[in-house]
Amino acid sequence: MKSHAKVVVIGGGVVGASVLYHLTKAGWKDVLLIERAELTSGSTWHAAGGMHTVNGDPNVAKLQQYTIELYKEIERISGQSCGVHITGGLMLAGTRERLDWLKMAKARGRYLGMDLEIISVDEAAKLFPLMEKKHFTGAMYDPIEGHVDPYGVTHAYAKSAQIGGADIVRHTRVTDLKPRSDGSWDVITDHGNVHAEHVVNAGGLWAREVGRMVGIELPILAMEHQYLITGDMPELAGKPEQLHAIDFEGEIYLRQERGGMLMGTYERAGVPWSPVTTPWDFGQDLLPNDLERIAPSLEVGFAHFPALGAAGIKKIVNGPFTFAPDGNPLVGPIRGLRNFWVACGVMAGFSQGGGVGLALSRWMVDGDPGADIWGMDVARYGDWTTLAYTNAKVRENYSRRFSIRFPNEELPAARPLRTTPIYERLQAEHAVFGDYCGLEHALWFAPTAAQAEDRISFRRSNAHPHVAAECKTVQNGVGLLEISNYGKFDIRGPGAADWLSHMMANRVPAVGRIALTPMLNDRGKLIGDFTMCRIAADHVFLVGTYAAETYYMRWFERHMPAAGVSVRPCAMEYVGLSVAGPHSRALLQSLVRDDLSTAAFPFMSFRRMEIGMVPGYVGRVSFTGDLGYEIWVTTDYQRALYDLLHEAGRAHGLKPFGGRALNAMRIEKSFGSWAREYRPIYGPFEAGLDRFVDLKKGDFIGRSAAAEEKESGGALRLVTFKVDATDADAIGDEPIWHDGKTVGWVTSGAFGHRVDYSLALGYVPAALAKLDTGFEIEIIGERHKAQRLAGAAFDAGGKLMRT
Ligand SMILES: Cc1cc2nc3c(=O)[nH]c(=O)nc-3n(C[C@H](O)[C@H](O)[C@H](O)COP(=O)(O)OP(=O)(O)OC[C@H]3O[C@@H](n4cnc5c(N)ncnc54)[C@H](O)[C@@H]3O)c2cc1C
């Protein structure tokens, strides 16, 4: 084994092999893969090899498309067959809701360029005669589903990488990793050591153990997974290969395997494998079968596809593979570690392995993944993903793999975990809670405890009238919202303002003022949106998205000067409450000595104040677009602050409101939100953030790309639509049509209760963004007329916020 390499990739499963290949393709030739046994010795070797393009996250779906198209390339380079069988696939619906879900998936696929089709039960049965029609209501057909040979794919990647200059060492186990002061690594193995500039953890079933070598606990857990292969079936003899099929109600997938059928199941009673430590002596082993555990799924499967039951079971495979809590991969650099990268938690290696390798290699070689991979960025998780949390969430995710997730559905596992001091107070107000990064936050408030329950639906739900009432309270009186679920950063030091000015696109505000700002990457794309609150010359309180805290800190630390500035994430040290609505000033004024008049404390002011006995920071700003204030206090004061506002609020008709009302109101104001309107695929001018980009203030990250975008106008434009919706509103990811063609996609949508119509925000080509009419938005399979609005639907001039 060589003693030095630019990169050591740990793990020769399909993912490590893909990373190795993509690194050579990107131009890094001095790369070495170390595999403990033979290639494919983790979960790869016994995989069913199925692949498909559909994914809940459109950006992950794009990488899945890329993976499937890649197989021809690596076959050509390596001469190794991947055993690709493109049979086409059917997703079979057994209920109306499932058919609605498929229609939405098809619509999303439309703007991703996928050729999906909704077909009738009769048409489905012609394509897949094994199904018993009476159990189904319709289906979606995808022409590019199929399966591959896991051995062939892994070896095709590996050989292609070797042809590109990579080395592969087998039967060598990495036993430890030691960082050097220059950011490089000593990779310790049982056959000698390698000095590497970069290390990639593609350890699959052992990725957790490799993570522990560098002091991190990756949120992944292996689950046992079983599939069976039937005996030969006369129904298949002499026929073209059967399609792939997913039967959601049976929670099973099917494909042909030689003369029989392969049937796998994501059973409700899924069982984790090696929940704490993965044994190093586990090799190309299988786990004991447990037919009883999958019996309920088999029963449905044999009823829905009777010929399978008659064929008998020839073979059963039970093997483990890993999942992250949300089922998407974990990819990217680890915050706090230099030159340490992960590519693990890949539960669909044959759909996703190529995309993961591509994104990671670009990230390593170019400093940027080159695509929006937020959905699989390892930094989407933080401290709350303890071993037990991950265990609960992965089990839930596994058991729901083929379940519908409704837009208003909150999942119950691992809850409640994190609560703020006013949790019980909000419960007493009949709050319906949601889970955000393990933290409970109020979504909406019901009139009685008995009504405090979401009835899950793709259409307007039972919460609709209550959310309407909350919006009206804010519009006409005053509402109280908990805002603890934001990310907060305490930035201090003599260099704080200069550093922030370099990091952010907008000018750092004067002391006592607030400024909103996008954060851009070097390519001038949006990687964050923040509120900068200047407390003192050398002190800024920065508010952003909590889910992206690790993502932001990783970026901040990468750009940290040697001295003069410190950044401390302090999300749960500061919790907050916001009062919003025309009576909010009178309410807050009754509790503070400071003069809150517009002359003394105008819009976008920020100051330390005492609210009764509670010390806090008050900002005059509100995401609802009304007159409003955000109050930040340390956690120990939150309950006292709540009680104070609650008590004083009686005279002003104060009522609580939740996240659903806030979302509807920010859409009425055309205010964007991270991971929806603001993502690394959009530029700030495309996103309509022109007024928050100060190209004159001096240099900042992304400035030249932003200047170019301003000059060219950008390719896309974020616009607001009034939608002729009926009983369902857009929620995001619906296609936008114009003149009979799909031209864009929705990023968020909701019913605007203050304006009394349905709204959507979305991106369209810049040239179309000037047109007002001719647009349609497809909601659950139906196209609805949509009118582009010239400005925000509610208080377009922004007078109310400033009054
Ligand atoms: C029964 C079953 C059916 C499946 N069906 C499908 C399917 O139809 N479609 C699909 O896309 N996916 C399927 N999967 C999932 C698929 O197998 C995984 O997505 C994929 O194998 C993950 O690959 P990996 O490279 O991340 O991990 P692994 O395959 O686990 O590879 C990790 C490798 O790293 C090596 N390694 C770990 N630690 C070290 C170390 N310290 N030193 C040296 N080497 C190390 C291991 O020996 C191993 O070879 C299935 C899985 C199972 C179990």
Side-chain angles (χ1 to χ4, degrees), residues 10-17 34-51 172-175 202-207 210 213 223 225-227 253 266 280 317-322 343-352:
I10 304 171
V14 63
V15 174
I34 303 181
E35 166 55 47
R36 163 192 85 92
E38 287 294 342
L39 298 182
T40 76
S41 291
S43 40
T44 298
W45 73 276
H46 46 46
M51 55 181 190
T172 301
R173 176 154 78 87
V174 174
T175 54
L205 285 177
W206 295 267
V210 174
M213 292 176 194
M223 297 291 292
H225 182 72
Q226 300 185 78
Y227 63 77
Y253 59 88
Y266 286 87
W280 287 108
V317 170
N318 184 11
F321 63 115
T322 55
C344 56
V346 182
M347 60 79 52
F350 302 95
S351 304
Q352 298 174 338

Side-chain angles (χ1 to χ4, degrees), residues 351-504:
S351 304
Q352 298 174 338
V356 166
L358 175 73
L360 191 73
S361 63
R362 282 189 179 165
W363 213 335
M364 294 175 72
V365 174
D366 305 335
D368 187 284
D372 181 353
I373 63 140
W374 168 247
M376 57 185 197
D377 191 329
V378 62
R380 70 191 184 278
Y381 290 115
D383 290 349
W384 66 94
T385 52
T386 55
L387 199 67
Y389 172 92
T390 300
N391 187 299
K393 278 308 207 191
V394 168
R395 277 189 289 127
E396 178 181 68
N397 185 274
Y398 183 93
S399 71
R400 293 181 46 90
R401 170 97 174 105
F402 289 148
S403 303
I404 298 172
R405 174 90 189 253
F406 289 89
N408 64 338
E409 183 171 13
E410 293 290 326
L411 302 181
R415 295 181 59 195
L417 177 61
R418 309 171 71 187
T419 55
T420 58
I422 61 167
Y423 178 64
E424 281 82 11
R425 302 282 200 275
L426 300 179
Q427 264 183 327
E429 299 276 351
H430 317 306
V432 175
F433 288 95
D435 163 25
Y436 178 72
C437 307
L439 177 72
E440 297 295 318
H441 68 117
L443 297 171
W444 59 280
F445 292 84
T448 64
Q451 288 166 282
E453 190 195 356
D454 259 326
R455 265 179 254 133
I456 52 176
S457 171
F458 288 122
R459 293 161 204 275
R460 287 179 199 146
S461 76
N462 60 316
H464 190 78
H466 308 302
V467 172
E470 290 172 25
C471 295
K472 294 286 176 196
T473 297
V474 175
Q475 184 177 12
N476 302 319
V478 52
L480 178 68
L481 172 79
E482 177 168 32
I483 51 171
S484 304
N485 57 350
Y486 282 94
K488 293 134 237 160
F489 304 87
D490 189 68
I491 304 181
R492 291 177 195 250
D498 283 349
W499 178 76
L500 260 185
S501 184
H502 173 66
M503 299 301 291
M504 303 292 168

